[in-house]
Amino acid sequence: MGTADNAMGGSYGAREFGPRDWAGAPWRRSGSRWTAFEIIAMVLGFIVFWPIGLAILGYKFWQRRNGGPDLQTLATNKWQDARTMMSSNSSAWGCGASNRARGYYGASTGNAAFNEWRTAELTRLDEERRKLDEAQREFSEYVEAIRRAKDREEFDRFMAERRARPASGSSAN
């Protein structure tokens, strides 16, 4: 070995890594190892729509630099958040202003007086909406009754005119 090899620590500056050196390498310490899920997601992302794959790759670089959950944990958490939000909104679609207030306008504001007023106003608005829906239904029934009466009147007039016409083919022979 020459002097340059000795100074650099081996042939062409290469350094031998032992098991501890490999595990403790600075680029491996970040904890952002690629999982099979992330690799598959990235490849499928590039196949389906390339910005998806690029976003996954960017997320992994961001994760390496800033830390954070792996992609599968992130996706699982976001999925659970979406399910929780949808289940809370589905209860708000039922009856009751208090459910609607929580579902549409978020949780309590921390001010009991405001929350009570908001619940009372939402209850009042729900009652007004119910009255409007009932009035609309009644009006639709009224318009339908008028149409039927008009149709009946036109049909009766047609039948009267038809009876009043002389029979045109039977008396000519």
Side-chain angles (χ1 to χ4, degrees):
M1 242 193 218
T3 345
D5 288 340
N6 288 336
M8 297 298 283
S11 174
Y12 301 108
R15 183 174 164 223
E16 293 184 26
F17 280 100
R20 290 190 181 137
D21 292 331
W22 180 259
W27 56 272
R28 289 188 49 102
R29 276 189 232 131
S30 64
S32 64
R33 298 179 60 188
W34 284 83
T35 63
F37 174 80
E38 291 167 333
I39 293 170
I40 292 169
M42 185 186 65
V43 169
L44 288 175
F46 276 115
I47 290 171
V48 172
F49 186 56
W50 66 268
I52 296 172
L54 196 60
I56 293 170
L57 188 62
Y59 177 76
K60 283 305 289 181
F61 284 128
W62 175 86
Q63 179 193 17
R64 174 184 280 174
R65 174 176 284 170
N66 299 324
D70 66 335
L71 190 62
Q72 188 170 8
T73 305
L74 180 73
T76 303
N77 291 343
K78 293 299 179 185
W79 180 257
Q80 289 299 326
D81 291 346
R83 288 186 60 173
T84 303
M85 185 174 58
M86 291 302 289
S87 68
S88 69
N89 279 345
S90 67
S91 68
W93 291 60
C95 294
S98 60
N99 283 343
R100 215 166 257 153
R102 277 193 299 276
Y104 293 137
Y105 301 107
S108 172
T109 62
N111 186 321
F114 178 77
N115 289 339
E116 289 172 7
W117 173 80
R118 179 178 63 183
T119 302
E121 287 296 307
L122 288 172
T123 303
R124 184 184 62 79
L125 289 172
D126 283 343
E127 182 64 25
E128 288 295 319
R129 168 64 72 186
R130 190 191 58 74
K131 287 179 184 176
L132 283 172
D133 289 344
E134 185 177 320
Q136 181 181 5
R137 183 187 50 79
E138 289 174 1
F139 181 71
S140 296
E141 290 173 359
Y142 174 75
V143 168
E144 184 62 30
I146 289 175
R147 283 190 191 131
R148 287 183 179 276
K150 185 177 177 184
D151 288 349
R152 173 58 63 186
E153 181 184 321
E154 289 174 355
F155 177 71
D156 290 343
R157 189 172 0 144
F158 168 74
M159 291 303 287
E161 289 175 6
R162 185 170 180 241
R163 286 187 205 117
R165 268 190 277 160
S168 63
S170 59
S171 60
N173 288 350

Coordinates of all heavy atoms in Angstrom, one line a residue, residues 35-73:
T35 N -40.9 1.8 4.0 CA -41.7 0.6 4.3 C -42.2 0.0 2.9 O -42.2 0.7 1.9 CB -42.8 0.8 5.2 OG1 -43.8 1.7 4.6 CG2 -42.4 1.4 6.5
A36 N -42.6 -1.2 2.9 CA -43.1 -1.8 1.7 C -44.4 -1.0 1.3 O -44.6 -0.8 0.1 CB -43.5 -3.3 1.9
F37 N -45.2 -0.6 2.2 CA -46.4 0.2 1.9 C -46.0 1.5 1.1 O -46.6 1.8 0.1 CB -47.2 0.5 3.2 CG -48.3 1.4 2.9 CD1 -49.5 0.9 2.5 CD2 -48.2 2.8 3.2 CE1 -50.6 1.7 2.3 CE2 -49.3 3.6 3.0 CZ -50.5 3.1 2.5
E38 N -45.0 2.2 1.6 CA -44.6 3.4 1.0 C -44.0 3.2 -0.4 O -44.3 4.0 -1.3 CB -43.6 4.1 1.9 CG -44.2 4.6 3.2 CD -43.1 5.0 4.2 OE1 -42.0 4.5 4.2 OE2 -43.5 5.9 5.0
I39 N -43.2 2.2 -0.6 CA -42.7 1.9 -1.9 C -43.8 1.6 -2.9 O -43.8 2.1 -4.0 CB -41.7 0.7 -1.8 CG1 -40.4 1.2 -1.0 CG2 -41.2 0.3 -3.2 CD1 -39.5 0.1 -0.6
I40 N -44.7 0.7 -2.4 CA -45.8 0.3 -3.3 C -46.7 1.6 -3.6 O -47.1 1.8 -4.8 CB -46.7 -0.8 -2.7 CG1 -45.8 -2.1 -2.7 CG2 -48.0 -1.0 -3.4 CD1 -46.5 -3.2 -1.8
A41 N -47.0 2.4 -2.6 CA -47.8 3.6 -2.8 C -47.1 4.5 -3.8 O -47.7 5.1 -4.6 CB -48.0 4.3 -1.5
M42 N -45.8 4.7 -3.6 CA -45.1 5.6 -4.5 C -45.1 5.1 -6.0 O -45.4 5.8 -6.9 CB -43.6 5.8 -4.1 CG -42.9 6.8 -4.9 SD -41.2 7.0 -4.6 CE -40.6 5.4 -5.1
V43 N -44.8 3.8 -6.2 CA -44.8 3.2 -7.5 C -46.2 3.3 -8.1 O -46.3 3.8 -9.3 CB -44.3 1.8 -7.5 CG1 -44.5 1.1 -8.8 CG2 -42.8 1.7 -7.1
L44 N -47.2 3.0 -7.4 CA -48.6 3.1 -7.9 C -49.0 4.5 -8.1 O -49.7 4.9 -9.1 CB -49.6 2.4 -6.9 CG -49.6 0.9 -6.9 CD1 -50.5 0.4 -5.8 CD2 -49.9 0.3 -8.2
G45 N -48.5 5.4 -7.3 CA -48.7 6.9 -7.5 C -48.1 7.3 -8.8 O -48.8 8.1 -9.5
F46 N -46.9 6.9 -9.1 CA -46.3 7.3 -10.4 C -47.0 6.7 -11.6 O -47.2 7.3 -12.6 CB -44.8 6.9 -10.4 CG -43.9 7.9 -9.8 CD1 -43.2 7.6 -8.7 CD2 -43.8 9.2 -10.3 CE1 -42.4 8.5 -8.1 CE2 -43.0 10.2 -9.7 CZ -42.2 9.8 -8.6
I47 N -47.5 5.5 -11.4 CA -48.3 4.8 -12.5 C -49.6 5.5 -12.7 O -50.0 5.8 -13.9 CB -48.4 3.3 -12.2 CG1 -47.1 2.6 -12.2 CG2 -49.4 2.7 -13.1 CD1 -47.1 1.2 -11.8
V48 N -50.4 5.7 -11.7 CA -51.7 6.3 -11.8 C -51.7 7.7 -12.2 O -52.3 8.1 -13.2 CB -52.5 6.1 -10.5 CG1 -53.8 6.9 -10.6 CG2 -52.7 4.7 -10.2
F49 N -50.9 8.6 -11.5 CA -50.9 10.0 -11.8 C -49.6 10.5 -11.2 O -49.4 10.5 -9.9 CB -52.1 10.7 -11.2 CG -52.2 12.1 -11.5 CD1 -52.3 12.6 -12.8 CD2 -52.3 13.1 -10.5 CE1 -52.4 13.9 -13.1 CE2 -52.5 14.4 -10.8 CZ -52.5 14.8 -12.1
W50 N -48.6 10.9 -12.0 CA -47.2 11.1 -11.5 C -47.1 12.1 -10.4 O -46.2 11.9 -9.5 CB -46.3 11.4 -12.7 CG -46.6 12.8 -13.3 CD1 -47.4 13.0 -14.4 CD2 -46.1 14.0 -12.9 NE1 -47.4 14.3 -14.7 CE2 -46.6 15.0 -13.8 CE3 -45.3 14.5 -11.9 CZ2 -46.4 16.3 -13.7 CZ3 -45.0 15.8 -11.8 CH2 -45.5 16.7 -12.7
P51 N -48.0 13.1 -10.2 CA -47.8 14.0 -9.1 C -48.1 13.3 -7.7 O -47.5 13.7 -6.7 CB -48.9 15.1 -9.3 CG -49.0 15.2 -10.8 CD -48.9 13.7 -11.2
I52 N -48.8 12.2 -7.7 CA -49.1 11.5 -6.5 C -47.7 10.8 -6.0 O -47.4 10.9 -4.9 CB -50.2 10.4 -6.7 CG1 -51.5 11.1 -6.9 CG2 -50.3 9.5 -5.4 CD1 -52.6 10.1 -7.3
G53 N -47.1 10.2 -7.0 CA -45.8 9.6 -6.6 C -44.8 10.6 -6.2 O -44.0 10.4 -5.3
L54 N -44.8 11.7 -6.9 CA -43.9 12.8 -6.5 C -44.2 13.3 -5.1 O -43.3 13.6 -4.3 CB -44.0 13.9 -7.6 CG -42.8 14.9 -7.6 CD1 -41.5 14.2 -7.9 CD2 -43.1 16.0 -8.6
A55 N -45.5 13.4 -4.8 CA -45.9 13.9 -3.5 C -45.4 12.9 -2.4 O -44.9 13.3 -1.3 CB -47.4 14.1 -3.4
I56 N -45.5 11.6 -2.6 CA -45.1 10.6 -1.7 C -43.5 10.7 -1.5 O -43.0 10.7 -0.4 CB -45.5 9.2 -2.1 CG1 -47.0 9.1 -2.0 CG2 -44.8 8.2 -1.2 CD1 -47.6 7.9 -2.6
L57 N -42.8 10.9 -2.6 CA -41.4 11.0 -2.5 C -41.0 12.3 -1.7 O -40.1 12.2 -0.9 CB -40.8 11.1 -3.9 CG -39.3 11.0 -4.1 CD1 -38.8 9.7 -3.5 CD2 -38.9 11.1 -5.5
G58 N -41.7 13.4 -2.0 CA -41.4 14.6 -1.3 C -41.7 14.5 0.2 O -41.0 15.0 1.1
Y59 N -42.8 13.8 0.5 CA -43.2 13.5 1.9 C -42.1 12.8 2.6 O -41.7 13.1 3.8 CB -44.5 12.8 2.1 CG -44.8 12.5 3.5 CD1 -45.3 13.5 4.4 CD2 -44.6 11.2 4.1 CE1 -45.6 13.2 5.7 CE2 -44.9 11.0 5.4 CZ -45.4 12.0 6.2 OH -45.6 11.7 7.5
K60 N -41.5 11.8 2.0 CA -40.4 11.0 2.6 C -39.2 11.8 2.8 O -38.5 11.7 3.9 CB -40.1 9.8 1.7 CG -41.1 8.6 1.8 CD -41.3 8.2 3.2 CE -40.1 7.4 3.8 NZ -40.3 6.9 5.1
F61 N -38.9 12.7 1.9 CA -37.7 13.6 2.1 C -38.0 14.6 3.3 O -37.2 14.9 4.1 CB -37.4 14.4 0.9 CG -36.6 13.6 -0.1 CD1 -37.0 13.5 -1.4 CD2 -35.5 12.8 0.2 CE1 -36.4 12.7 -2.4 CE2 -34.8 12.0 -0.7 CZ -35.3 12.0 -2.0
W62 N -39.3 15.1 3.3 CA -39.7 16.0 4.4 C -39.6 15.2 5.7 O -39.1 15.8 6.7 CB -41.1 16.5 4.2 CG -41.6 17.4 5.3 CD1 -41.4 18.7 5.5 CD2 -42.4 16.9 6.4 NE1 -42.0 19.1 6.7 CE2 -42.6 18.0 7.2 CE3 -42.9 15.7 6.8 CZ2 -43.3 17.9 8.4 CZ3 -43.6 15.6 7.9 CH2 -43.8 16.7 8.7
Q63 N -40.1 14.0 5.7 CA -40.1 13.2 7.0 C -38.7 13.0 7.4 O -38.4 13.0 8.6 CB -40.8 11.9 6.7 CG -40.8 10.9 7.9 CD -41.2 9.5 7.5 OE1 -41.2 9.2 6.4 NE2 -41.6 8.8 8.5
R64 N -37.7 12.7 6.5 CA -36.3 12.5 6.9 C -35.8 13.7 7.6 O -35.1 13.6 8.6 CB -35.5 12.1 5.7 CG -34.0 12.0 6.0 CD -33.2 11.7 4.9 NE -33.2 10.3 4.5 CZ -32.7 9.8 3.5 NH1 -32.1 10.5 2.6 NH2 -32.8 8.5 3.3
R65 N -36.1 14.9 7.0 CA -35.5 16.1 7.6 C -36.2 16.5 8.9 O -35.5 16.9 9.8 CB -35.7 17.2 6.5 CG -35.2 18.6 7.1 CD -35.3 19.6 6.1 NE -34.1 19.4 5.2 CZ -33.9 20.1 4.1 NH1 -34.8 20.9 3.7 NH2 -32.9 19.9 3.3
N66 N -37.5 16.5 8.9 CA -38.3 17.0 10.1 C -38.8 16.0 11.0 O -39.3 16.3 12.1 CB -39.4 17.9 9.6 CG -38.9 19.0 8.8 OD1 -37.9 19.6 9.0 ND2 -39.7 19.4 7.7
G67 N -38.8 14.7 10.7 CA -39.3 13.7 11.5 C -40.9 13.7 11.3 O -41.4 14.5 10.6
G68 N -41.5 12.7 11.8 CA -42.9 12.6 11.6 C -43.3 11.1 11.4 O -42.4 10.3 11.2
P69 N -44.6 10.9 11.3 CA -45.0 9.5 11.1 C -44.7 9.0 9.7 O -44.6 9.8 8.8 CB -46.5 9.6 11.4 CG -46.9 11.0 11.0 CD -45.7 11.8 11.4
D70 N -44.6 7.7 9.6 CA -44.5 7.1 8.3 C -45.8 7.3 7.5 O -46.8 7.6 8.1 CB -44.0 5.6 8.3 CG -45.1 4.7 8.9 OD1 -45.9 5.2 9.7 OD2 -45.0 3.5 8.6
L71 N -45.7 7.0 6.2 CA -46.9 7.3 5.4 C -48.1 6.4 5.8 O -49.2 6.9 5.7 CB -46.5 7.0 3.9 CG -47.5 7.4 2.8 CD1 -47.7 8.9 2.9 CD2 -47.0 7.0 1.5
Q72 N -47.9 5.2 6.1 CA -49.0 4.3 6.5 C -49.7 4.8 7.8 O -50.9 4.9 7.9 CB -48.5 2.9 6.7 CG -49.7 1.9 6.9 CD -49.2 0.5 6.8 OE1 -48.0 0.2 6.8 NE2 -50.2 -0.4 6.8
T73 N -48.9 5.2 8.8 CA -49.5 5.8 10.0 C -50.2 7.1 9.7 O -51.3 7.3 10.2 CB -48.4 6.0 11.0 OG1 -47.6 4.8 11.2 CG2 -48.9 6.5 12.3

